[in-house]
């Protein structure tokens, strides 16, 4: 696959039944977004459709739309805590069916994010004005989730973009996130990222001061 990762069986089956033309693909994106949002515990495997169409959609606009749709759905699913992967000790313990079901769902959600965040980062390098609102949405929704430092560092980097729209979008998202941050972990990461950016700028490695 062009996306570099295996598709889930559910996503593969769905994609087989759809014509690979622009209208059909965009209808599929809308359907998948609706299905996953309505019943994420049952339909999360379909999230891979977003990755596949982002990698190999019929048109450039479809490829963009696939990524934006993925973020729009994910931001409403992300929990306000870090998902802890089970240790060997955890796995050796007898756990209830409910615990195992929740663990499977959470690990699947984390796996999707492990693909989604790098995809957003890569897209920001190609078409930042289009993707900046999606990155901003993740900042506000996922600042307490796994890979907090990576997300915030990326956002702070683009909050000093030469492009005014990108700069404003990310700066406002970071500001909103800090204002509601009760644990202060994310706020500390913002301060550290700004400090690192300032050091890099002072050393002549690029970047511009935050406003």
């Amino acid at each position: 696959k062009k996306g570099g990762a295996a598709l889930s069986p559910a996503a593969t089956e769905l994609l087989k039944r759809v014509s690979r033309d622009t209208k059909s693909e965009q209808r599929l994106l809308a359907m998948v977004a609706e299905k996953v949002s309505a019943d994420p515990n049952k339909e999360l495997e379909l999230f891979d459709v977003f990755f596949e169409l982002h990698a190999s959609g019929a048109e450039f606009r479809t490829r963009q739309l696939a990524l934006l749709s993925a973020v729009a759905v994910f931001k409403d699913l992300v929990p306000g805590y870090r998902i802890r992967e089970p240790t060997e000790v955890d796995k050796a313990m007898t756990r209830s069916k409910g615990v195992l079901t929740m663990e499977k769902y959470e690990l699947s959600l984390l796996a999707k994010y492990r693909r989604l965040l790098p995809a957003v980062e890569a897209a920001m390098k190609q078409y930042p004005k289009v993707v900046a609102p999606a990155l901003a949405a993740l900042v506000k929704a996922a600042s307490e989730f796994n890979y907090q430092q990576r997300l915030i560092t990326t956002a702070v980097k683009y909050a000093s973009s030469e492009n005014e729209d990108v700069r404003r979008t990310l700066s406002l998202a970071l500001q909103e996130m800090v204002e509601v941050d009760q644990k202060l972990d994310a706020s500390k990461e913002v301060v550290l990222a700004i400090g690192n950016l300032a050091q890099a700028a002072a050393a002549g490695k690029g970047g511009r001061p935050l406003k």
Side-chain angles (χ1 to χ4, degrees), residues 53-70:
L53 293 184
H54 176 55
S56 58
E59 288 187 358
F60 180 64
R61 177 60 187 156
T62 303
R63 295 193 290 275
Q64 287 184 327
L65 188 59
L67 182 63
L68 300 180
S69 299

Side-chain angles (χ1 to χ4, degrees):
K1 288 293 176 187
K2 212 172 171 183
L7 289 172
S8 67
T12 300
E13 186 60 34
L14 197 56
L15 283 159
K16 279 181 185 175
R17 291 192 261 126
V18 175
S19 300
R20 297 304 292 268
D21 60 81
T22 300
K23 285 187 178 179
S24 297
E25 288 181 347
Q26 292 187 2
R27 280 197 297 267
L28 177 60
L29 287 174
M31 184 186 77
V32 168
E34 187 176 335
K35 276 180 168 288
V36 176
S37 297
D39 193 352
N41 287 288
K42 181 182 176 184
E43 306 288 4
L44 190 59
E45 279 196 359
L46 293 180
F47 204 91
D48 286 356
V49 169
F50 295 132
F51 295 128
E52 175 63 16
L53 293 184
H54 176 55
S56 58
E59 288 187 358
F60 180 64
R61 177 60 187 156
T62 303
R63 295 193 290 275
Q64 287 184 327
L65 188 59
L67 182 63
L68 300 180
S69 299
V71 172
V73 171
F74 190 86
K75 71 179 177 60
D76 292 331
L77 303 181
V78 63
Y81 56 85
R82 289 181 181 84
I83 290 172
R84 188 178 72 88
E85 297 188 64
T87 64
E88 292 304 316
V89 174
D90 293 330
K91 293 175 184 176
M93 292 174 62
T94 302
R95 293 174 291 167
S96 69
K97 184 178 179 181
V99 168
L100 290 172
T101 299
M102 175 57 78
E103 179 183 282
K104 181 181 178 182
Y105 170 74
E106 288 190 334
L107 292 179
S108 180
L109 193 66
L110 182 57
K112 305 309 179 195
Y113 192 56
R114 283 193 177 121
R115 294 180 67 186
L116 181 61
L117 184 55
V120 170
E121 291 171 340
M124 281 296 295
K125 294 177 182 177
Q126 296 176 286
Y127 31 93
K129 283 182 71 173
V130 174
V131 185
L135 177 57
L138 284 180
V139 168
K140 290 183 279 187
S143 63
E144 297 296 336
F145 194 50
N146 301 59
Y147 306 105
Q148 177 190 71
Q149 182 183 51
R150 179 168 175 170
L151 172 64
I152 290 174
T153 298
T154 300
V156 167
K157 171 185 171 184
Y158 287 102
S160 63
S161 169
E162 293 286 346
N163 184 284
E164 184 181 352
D165 291 336
V166 173
R167 187 167 68 247
R168 185 191 308 117
T169 298
L170 272 306
S171 295
L172 285 173
L174 287 165
Q175 182 180 334
E176 287 180 38
M177 183 270 290
V178 168
E179 286 173 354
V180 299
D181 179 23
Q182 296 182 339
K183 296 179 183 176
L184 299 181
D185 288 345
S187 298
K188 289 175 185 174
E189 290 296 346
V190 172
V191 173
L192 288 171
I194 291 172
N196 290 336
L197 192 71
Q199 285 184 340
K205 295 179 182 177
R208 52 183 283 155
L210 289 174
K211 294 186 178 179

